[in-house]
Amino acid sequence: MTWMTILATLVWTGVGAVLLVVLMGIDSLFTRYKDMEEIKNGNVAVAIRFVMKLFAQGYILSQSIRSSNDLWDAVLASVVSFVILLILELIIRNVLKWTVALNLDEGTKQGKIAHALLGGSLHVVGALVIASYLLVS
């Protein structure tokens, strides 16, 4: 491992960490509750969903980096993937609300683990599908 490899790893990791913080902050704006406040108050359901969302975004970022030699291409792919995932989640959340009266945000805010797991799994599955495309493109 050369010094350039170490330096590049530090830069890619630093940019990735900043990107994840920004994306999770933006994602928090689209929930009907304040993630960090709920987690501080001990809401395990919100913590579970937050961790699953963070994993999903991290996985997409890791696959973006894996499939790109250019840092900014990887960042762009991650941002576009985030937007796609956000739109898909909004659509599915609304479909569940309208068809079976299942409000994932409200249930998660109330501490219902089942709601959190379902909401978080939407992110994880979406990330797996999106990342699989990143690997072949």
Side-chain angles (χ1 to χ4, degrees):
M1 183 178 269
T2 67
W3 284 106
M4 282 305 281
T5 304
I6 293 170
L7 181 61
T9 301
L10 289 172
V11 169
W12 282 70
T13 302
V15 170
V18 168
L19 179 64
L20 286 175
V21 168
V22 169
L23 293 179
M24 291 306 293
I26 293 169
D27 185 76
S28 292
L29 298 174
F30 288 91
T31 56
R32 306 294 184 256
Y33 49 84
K34 302 210 181 305
D35 288 327
M36 288 302 127
E37 288 301 316
E38 291 292 329
I39 291 170
K40 284 182 196 176
N41 292 333
N43 190 328
V44 176
V46 171
I48 289 169
R49 188 170 180 195
F50 185 86
V51 168
M52 291 177 81
K53 287 178 177 183
L54 181 60
F55 173 80
Q57 293 304 324
Y59 185 72
I60 287 171
L61 178 61
S62 73
Q63 297 309 305
S64 298
I65 290 170
R66 185 174 178 201
S67 65
S68 178
N69 290 326
D70 181 65
L71 177 62
W72 301 115
D73 283 345
V75 168
L76 179 61
S78 292
V79 169
V80 169
S81 298
F82 168 78
V83 171
I84 292 168
L85 194 55
L86 188 65
I87 292 168
L88 288 173
E89 184 207 10
L90 289 171
I91 291 169
I92 292 170
R93 277 189 346 208
N94 285 323
V95 167
L96 289 172
K97 191 185 303 184
W98 297 329
T99 59
V100 293
L102 181 63
N103 188 328
L104 294 179
D105 279 338
E106 190 59 36
T108 301
K109 183 178 180 182
Q110 293 171 0
K112 296 178 180 176
I113 303 293
H115 287 71
L117 288 171
L118 182 56
S121 71
L122 296 174
H123 281 267
V124 172
V125 170
L128 292 170
V129 171
I130 291 169
S132 69
Y133 176 74
L134 292 173
L135 292 175
V136 297
S137 61

